[in-house]
Amino acid sequence: MKKLNKRLGKKEDNSVHSKNFNHSIQTNGSYLQKKSQLVTDLLPSLQNVRVSFDAASADTYHQIRVNGQWDQLLENVRWLRKQIDQVAPKCELQADYVVQLGNYKEIPAFVELCKELGIDHINWQKMWNWGTWNQEIFLQNNIYDSTHPKYPELVEIFKKSGQRMSLS
C-alpha cells in the first residue's frame, strides 16, 4: 500500500477513519453498550455492523446461544440503532441468522423483529460444521441443505416471509 500511495502521490493514512478502507464489525451484540466509547469512535468509519441473532424469541435464543442474554441483545441493538442514526447514518445495521432446525419456524417473526429494531438488512446463513456436532446431528439440524426432509417447508417459509434464500 505504501508503494501504491507513493506512486499516486498520496499520503498514507493508516487510521481507523481512513477513506481508503471499508470496515465492518461482526458481533454477538453482548458488549455493545459496555464498550460504548469504542463503538461510537468506530462507527463513522464502518460500512456496516453485523449482529448475530439466530432467533426471534428468548426461548429459541437460549437454546441456540447457550448463556446468551436475549433482553440484553435487544437493548444493545436498540442502543446501536440510535448511535448509528446520530453519528454514522451511512453505516448499515445488519442481522445475521444461521438457519437451522431449531429456529427456521421463527423466520417470519424475525423479519418483523428486524423491522421493529430498524435493521437495514438480514443475512440468512447456512450452517457449517465447525466440529461442534458429530456429522449425524449436524445433518439433522442443517435444514438449509436441499436434501433435508424439511427443506421444502423452509423454502415456503422464506417465500411467505417475502425473503430470498441466500446461498452463503
Side-chain angles (χ1 to χ4, degrees), residues 119-132:
I119 301 289
D120 298 307
H121 181 77
I122 301 171
N123 299 301
W124 303 108
Q125 299 173 318
K126 292 182 180 182
M127 291 178 64
W128 295 95
N129 194 356
W130 300 101
T132 307

Side-chain angles (χ1 to χ4, degrees), residues 26-43:
Q26 187 168 6
T27 176
N28 64 13
S30 298
Y31 292 104
L32 290 169
Q33 288 188 79
K34 286 181 183 175
K35 301 288 184 181
S36 62
Q37 188 60 56
L38 177 62
V39 171
T40 53
D41 287 348
L42 289 174
L43 275 175

